[in-house]
Amino acid sequence: TARVWSRIGRLAHGSVLGVLLFGRALRTPLGFTGREMQIFVPEECRIDRRALFRGQLALQSPTRGMVEIIFDEEDFANFLMYPQIAASAPLGLTFRRRVHLSEGGVRFEVQAQCSGGAKDEFSALLSWPSSSHCSSRRLAVGERRGLGPCVRVLRSSSGEAHGSADDVAALERSLADFFRELTLDLAGLALNIMAMDVLPTPTLSVDSGIGATTAEKGAAQRFLLRLSMEGEIRRVPDPLHEKI
């Protein structure tokens, strides 16, 4: 779905005042998936009309824009395993395909090399502390919500034998820096994470309706993750045919 703001005289020359694109069930050939994706260009820009005849939406010159992607747990696991993300992970660190969303953030598993040279498995919690701004509204261009990513290592599979306090502190810093500085390049979109919000989606099973206990209702609740990203937009990639 596309929505374009313009004036009749300007639109005839390819000039628009803003563009909003919305899609569901995103899936690319390399395994990048998402429940929903919105691309928003809030500034005046010029559309490449020749690209439109080729079935592409491209801009005559790059402009700043915002992208919001909604992930479920499987989607964010795919995000961490996406070849571009996995290849840019800090040296000695490998993401695992185990992700759990909760009110506190994103819990994920990672293998890291400790100071002694041995590798260990760690469980970490990623969150993005919110500022005083309402987390439900769209960010303005250039606005970063909160203080940036916060990573807390919860445990290591081998306890203190390999995962010393220094190793844990170094891993937390390395992962926080990774998510803060990450640039995602999707064939026309070069994006940095500006905010992250966990969104509750209450869904009760048949057995946890009227009369269900608080624990039963809590177990039935599911969460989604919204990544708010910003960056340079040159064109909108085609996830069905481009190798992204």
Side-chain angles (χ1 to χ4, degrees), residues 77-90:
N78 291 338
F79 176 80
L80 294 178
M81 303 298 292
Y82 186 60
Q84 183 186 141
I85 303 297
S88 61

Side-chain angles (χ1 to χ4, degrees), residues 65-137:
M66 292 167 287
V67 174
E68 287 187 354
I69 307 176
I70 303 295
F71 293 122
D72 61 17
E73 291 177 349
E74 182 180 357
D75 293 328
F76 194 72
N78 291 338
F79 176 80
L80 294 178
M81 303 298 292
Y82 186 60
Q84 183 186 141
I85 303 297
S88 61
L91 185 65
L93 189 150
T94 304
F95 291 112
R96 299 305 197 193
R97 192 180 285 278
R98 291 189 291 273
V99 169
H100 177 67
L101 296 176
S102 68
E103 204 169 15
V106 186
R107 184 166 178 166
F108 63 97
E109 307 290 324
V110 64
Q111 183 188 72
Q113 185 170 330
C114 300
S115 55
K119 291 187 176 181
D120 201 354
E121 301 284 335
F122 293 88
S123 176
L125 183 69
L126 168 66
S127 61
W128 199 293
S130 297
S131 66
S132 59
H133 299 95
C134 176
S135 62
S136 63
R137 70 174 179 83

Side-chain angles (χ1 to χ4, degrees), residues 116-194:
K119 291 187 176 181
D120 201 354
E121 301 284 335
F122 293 88
S123 176
L125 183 69
L126 168 66
S127 61
W128 199 293
S130 297
S131 66
S132 59
H133 299 95
C134 176
S135 62
S136 63
R137 70 174 179 83
R138 175 175 285 117
L139 297 177
V141 173
E143 178 184 356
R144 184 182 289 268
R145 180 183 293 133
L147 303 176
C150 174
V151 177
R152 182 163 58 93
V153 171
L154 304 176
R155 62 172 174 81
S156 70
S157 60
S158 58
E160 291 298 318
H162 295 155
S164 68
D166 288 342
D167 288 332
V168 167
L171 180 58
E172 289 177 340
R173 289 193 300 271
S174 181
L175 286 169
D177 290 342
F178 170 75
F179 287 106
R180 181 184 300 108
E181 299 167 3
L182 177 66
T183 297
L184 178 65
D185 191 339
L186 293 177
L189 306 174
L191 305 169
N192 300 103
I193 301 175
M194 304 299 285

